[in-house]
Amino acid sequence: MRFFLTLILLLTNTLFGWGSGSVSAQASDELTAAAINGESAILIDGTTGQVLFQKNPHVTLYPASITKIATGIYAIENGNPDDIVTVSKKARYEDGTRVYLGEGEQVSLKKLEYGLLMHSGNDAATAIAEHLAGTTEKFAERLNEYLAEKVGVTETHFANAHGLHDPNHYTTAADMAKIAQYAMKNPIFREIVATKRLPWDGREWKSELINHNKMLWRYEGATGIKNGFTDEARHTLVVSAKRGGSEFIAVTMKASSSALAYQDVTQMLDYGFAHYETRQVAKAGDRFTLATAAASERREEFTAPSDLFVTVPIGSEPQIEVTPQGMLRVQAGTFTQEFSLKRKEQPEIPARLLAISSSDQTGSESQTARYAILFTWLLLNIMLVFYVVARAKKRRRSTSHQDWRRRVG
C-alpha cells in the first residue's frame, strides 16, 4: 500500500509540479501555444506590461469570477473602507459562492473586499455594487467606464460585479492582464489578494476565509490574484509572482479543468522567470542628451519624468538612445520600448529682468541714434561758429580798407 501511495505522489508532482517553485523542463525551451490548455492565455511583465507569451489573447470569452479583480480595485479606489454596508435581500440570496451575508447585516466595505477577493463571495460583490452605485446595473455601467478610462481596456464589457454568467458579460485574456497589472499597483489590493487566511465573524457565518488561489501555497514568489469558474466560462485563472526585481502576470481562460488551469499559469510563469528580467534604465530626474551631428550645435537635454523600467531577455544589455522627438528608445533583444522624456527647459528669466534686458537692447539702439543726432548737431554748430567768425573777420577787413581809403583821399 505504501508503494502505491508513493507512486501516486510522484505522478502527481510530475504532472503538476506543485511545491518546488523551480523552473520546469519546458521553461528552458520556447513555450508554444500547444502546451497551454486554456483557449486563450497571456504572460506579461507586471511592471512594464511587455507581452512575453500569448495564445489567442484577443478572443472574447466569459471571465467568471476573475471579474472580481475589476470589482475589487474599483471598490478600493472609489469607496471608503470604513463605510458600513447594509446587506440587501438581493445580495443575501445571490447565487454561487458566498460568504453567507445575512439580510440587513451591516458590514464594513473593507471586510466585504476581503470576502470578495479571497473567498470569491458573490453576495459580497452584489453588496459592494449596490452600496457604491445604488443598483448592480448602474454599478456595471460605472465599472465599464472606469476600466476604459483608467486601464484602457477595449475588449471588455461587464454586466455585473461578480462574473456569474451573462451573454453580455465578456472580456479577453489581454484585457484581463491589463486589469490585473493596474490592480496590482495598488498596495491595498496587493495586500488583500496575498492574504492566505483571515478569520470571518459574520452574523450567519463564523469561520475562516481561505484564499481560493492555490498558487499562494504552491508557487515560489506568488503574490496573487484570482481564480474563477462557471459552466460557460470553464476555468479561468490570473496569477502574479515575483522573484528578485521581476514580477510577471499570467492569465489563462477557458481551461478544461482547474488542475490544467494551474498548470498553464505555472508553465507561463516558469517560462518568464527562465528567460526574462525587469531592468531599471532610469530614475526620475535622470538627464539625457540628444547628440547632434555637428559638435558646434547646441545639444538638447531631457529628463526622465519618473522611474523607467524595461523587460530584457536574461543576459542581454539594453541599448539606449534619445530620438529627435524626445523619446528614450531602449533596444533589448527583440524588444524595443520607448518612453516620453521631459524636455529640459533653459533657466527661466524673471519677467522683470526680461523687461530690463529688452529695454537695454532697445535703449542701446535708441542711444546710438541719440549720439548720431548729437554729433550732427555739434558739427553743425562748429560749422556755424566758423561761419560767424569768418564773416566777422571779413567785415573787419572791409571796414579797415574803407578807413584807409578815406585817410588817403
Side-chain angles (χ1 to χ4, degrees), residues 19 21 31-32 42 46 56 100 106 121 128 144 159 176 203 210 212 271 284 303 323 341 349 373 389:
L31 183 61
T32 64
I42 194 168
N56 304 325
Y100 302 100
Q106 293 191 316
I128 289 171
N144 288 322
M176 281 310 308
R203 193 174 75 184
I210 298 177
H212 285 195
Y271 173 77
T303 58
T323 71
L341 296 175
I349 301 174
I373 294 171
V389 171

Side-chain angles (χ1 to χ4, degrees), residues 131-183:
H131 175 72
L132 293 178
T135 67
T136 54
E137 293 79 13
K138 188 64 177 176
F139 177 82
E141 291 178 14
R142 293 184 182 179
L143 182 61
N144 288 322
E145 292 171 359
Y146 166 85
L147 293 174
E149 178 185 344
K150 292 284 189 177
V151 184
V153 300
T154 58
E155 304 165 333
T156 296
H157 182 271
F158 289 152
N160 56 57
H162 39 59
L164 288 173
H165 182 66
D166 186 302
N168 293 315
H169 189 92
Y170 55 81
T171 187
T172 65
D175 269 6
M176 281 310 308
K178 291 178 183 178
I179 295 169
Q181 181 192 14
Y182 179 84

Side-chain angles (χ1 to χ4, degrees), residues 157-384:
H157 182 271
F158 289 152
N160 56 57
H162 39 59
L164 288 173
H165 182 66
D166 186 302
N168 293 315
H169 189 92
Y170 55 81
T171 187
T172 65
D175 269 6
M176 281 310 308
K178 291 178 183 178
I179 295 169
Q181 181 192 14
Y182 179 84
M184 290 296 285
K185 291 178 181 178
N186 186 291
I188 297 174
F189 183 94
R190 290 184 70 93
E191 178 184 343
I192 295 174
V193 296
T195 302
K196 293 180 178 181
R197 296 175 179 271
L198 183 75
W200 185 268
D201 186 10
R203 193 174 75 184
E204 296 187 5
W205 191 48
K206 300 181 187 301
S207 184
E208 181 183 45
L209 299 186
I210 298 177
N211 200 310
H212 285 195
N213 179 10
K214 299 174 184 177
M215 293 287 275
L216 291 174
W217 287 268
R218 297 174 173 176
Y219 194 82
E220 178 190 341
T223 52
I225 49 179
K226 190 75 186 71
N227 65 320
F229 172 80
T230 64
D231 289 336
E232 295 82 3
R234 304 309 297 162
H235 295 271
T236 60
L237 181 61
V238 183
V239 174
S240 61
K242 185 173 184 178
R243 296 178 186 174
S246 303
E247 183 171 46
F248 300 130
I249 296 172
V251 181
T252 187
M253 298 184 69
K254 206 171 184 180
S256 56
S257 71
S258 175
L260 290 172
Y262 280 103
Q263 182 176 298
D264 282 353
V265 295
T266 299
Q267 288 188 94
M268 285 189 281
L269 291 170
D270 281 351
Y271 173 77
F273 287 118
H275 291 85
Y276 302 102
E277 63 179 331
T278 309
R279 192 90 60 87
Q280 184 171 8
V281 292
K283 293 182 179 179
D286 280 356
R287 296 182 180 182
F288 297 89
T289 302
L290 174 61
T292 54
S296 60
E297 290 184 22
R298 180 174 172 271
R299 295 190 171 193
E300 289 191 89
E301 288 193 355
F302 301 87
T303 58
S306 60
D307 293 347
L308 302 180
F309 297 86
V310 296
T311 309
V312 302
I314 291 176
S316 68
E317 193 63 33
Q319 304 299 312
I320 299 174
E321 66 171 335
V322 180
T323 71
Q325 293 75 31
M327 303 290 289
L328 184 69
R329 179 178 293 146
V330 184
Q331 178 77 39
T334 59
F335 297 150
T336 299
Q337 297 153 85
E338 289 189 341
F339 305 91
S340 295
L341 296 175
K342 184 178 179 181
R343 192 180 300 274
K344 185 184 177 186
E345 301 293 341
Q346 295 298 320
E348 185 177 350
I349 301 174
R352 180 177 58 83
L353 296 180
L354 190 61
I356 293 172
S357 175
S358 177
S359 64
D360 284 348
Q361 183 176 359
T362 305
S364 177
E365 294 174 356
S366 60
Q367 190 172 15
T368 302
R370 287 198 297 270
Y371 281 139
I373 294 171
L374 179 61
F375 178 76
T376 303
W377 181 81
L378 288 173
L379 184 61
L380 290 173
N381 275 275
I382 292 172
M383 291 175 65
L384 181 61

Side-chain angles (χ1 to χ4, degrees), residues 38-58:
E39 186 173 321
S40 177
I42 194 168
L43 173 70
I44 68 168
D45 185 320
T47 303
T48 68
Q50 178 69 53
V51 176
L52 307 176
F53 169 82
Q54 55 187 349
K55 173 187 177 181
N56 304 325
H58 302 291

